[in-house]
Amino acid sequence: MFLQKLKEITTLIFDVDGVLTNGDIIASDSGEFLRTFNIKDGYALQLAVKRGYLICIISGGKGIAMQKRFEGLGIQEIHLGVGDKVAVFNSLLAKHQISAEQVLYMGDDIPDLKVMQLVGLPTCPADAVPEIKALSQYISPYTGGKTAVRDIIEKVLRVQHQWFDEAPSAVDSGK
């Protein structure tokens, strides 16, 4: 069942804090919030974009650095500072004419719960809260910010024979 669902995925949506980061935020004296991202997650994200998958970011967090990071990976659907993730999700379905069954979502905390109930394949990192783990059809053995995103993207791309890149560039994941 899980492998069949992976074969049907065309769209991957990710939360940021706790999924693409470890959930820690450093508050600078200037008022800027700093996060760290894993380079291996970045490689998988840009490869999925190159392979034609729709990659979306939906996060309550926001910041210029986050925006630039995702733009550098080729992600076009970047939604930061979002209060209503379900509204953004429904808008994406309509805009790209996709069904909820084609969507994989990775979240880690209560703000992700409602949208995860709507997607075809809800997933989470190993350190997600219990309510999200209970809902998830796949729990990565990796934690947020520590390649949980790479793990699930690699699974989707491998099942669909899209993983291996014949000519990878060393700069692709570091943008």
Side-chain angles (χ1 to χ4, degrees):
M1 178 82 167
F2 175 67
L3 289 177
Q4 184 57 40
K5 286 195 174 197
L6 289 177
K7 290 178 183 178
E8 297 168 6
I9 298 301
T10 63
T11 303
L12 298 96
I13 303 176
F14 299 98
D15 177 36
V16 176
D17 294 319
V19 172
L20 280 156
T21 75
N22 67 2
D24 292 343
I25 297 176
I26 299 170
S28 71
D29 287 340
S30 68
E32 187 178 5
F33 297 116
L34 307 175
R35 298 161 170 89
T36 60
F37 294 92
N38 189 288
I39 207 80
K40 292 180 180 97
D41 287 342
Y43 178 79
L45 285 164
Q46 64 78 34
L47 182 61
V49 169
K50 284 181 182 175
R51 296 287 194 246
Y53 293 86
L54 177 61
I55 305 296
C56 309
I57 303 295
I58 304 177
S59 177
K62 58 186 173 182
I64 294 169
M66 288 172 62
Q67 184 79 28
K68 286 184 178 186
R69 171 67 174 147
F70 300 130
E71 287 174 355
L73 295 171
I75 299 170
Q76 295 185 0
E77 290 291 351
I78 305 165
H79 303 272
L80 304 176
V82 173
D84 185 351
K85 291 185 177 192
V86 171
V88 174
F89 171 72
N90 286 330
S91 173
L92 288 168
L93 292 182
K95 177 180 177 182
H96 295 282
Q97 299 179 347
I98 52 177
S99 74
E101 287 301 311
Q102 296 171 289
V103 178
L104 178 150
Y105 186 99
M106 183 173 271
D108 71 305
D109 208 347
I110 302 302
D112 300 307
L113 188 69
K114 287 185 181 179
V115 71
M116 288 179 71
Q117 291 172 332
L118 302 174
V119 302
L121 188 54
T123 67
C124 70
D127 57 345
V129 299
E131 295 86 350
I132 296 299
K133 285 182 174 181
L135 175 65
S136 293
Q137 294 178 24
Y138 176 74
I139 301 171
S140 174
Y142 304 99
T143 59
K146 301 293 182 184
T147 70
V149 168
R150 162 109 176 207
D151 174 49
I152 195 60
I153 291 174
E154 186 172 340
K155 282 182 176 16
V156 170
L157 271 61
R158 280 191 186 274
V159 164
Q160 296 185 21
H161 308 289
Q162 297 289 320
W163 175 246
F164 191 74
D165 191 347
E166 293 290 337
S169 170
V171 298
D172 286 340
S173 57
K175 297 176 187 171

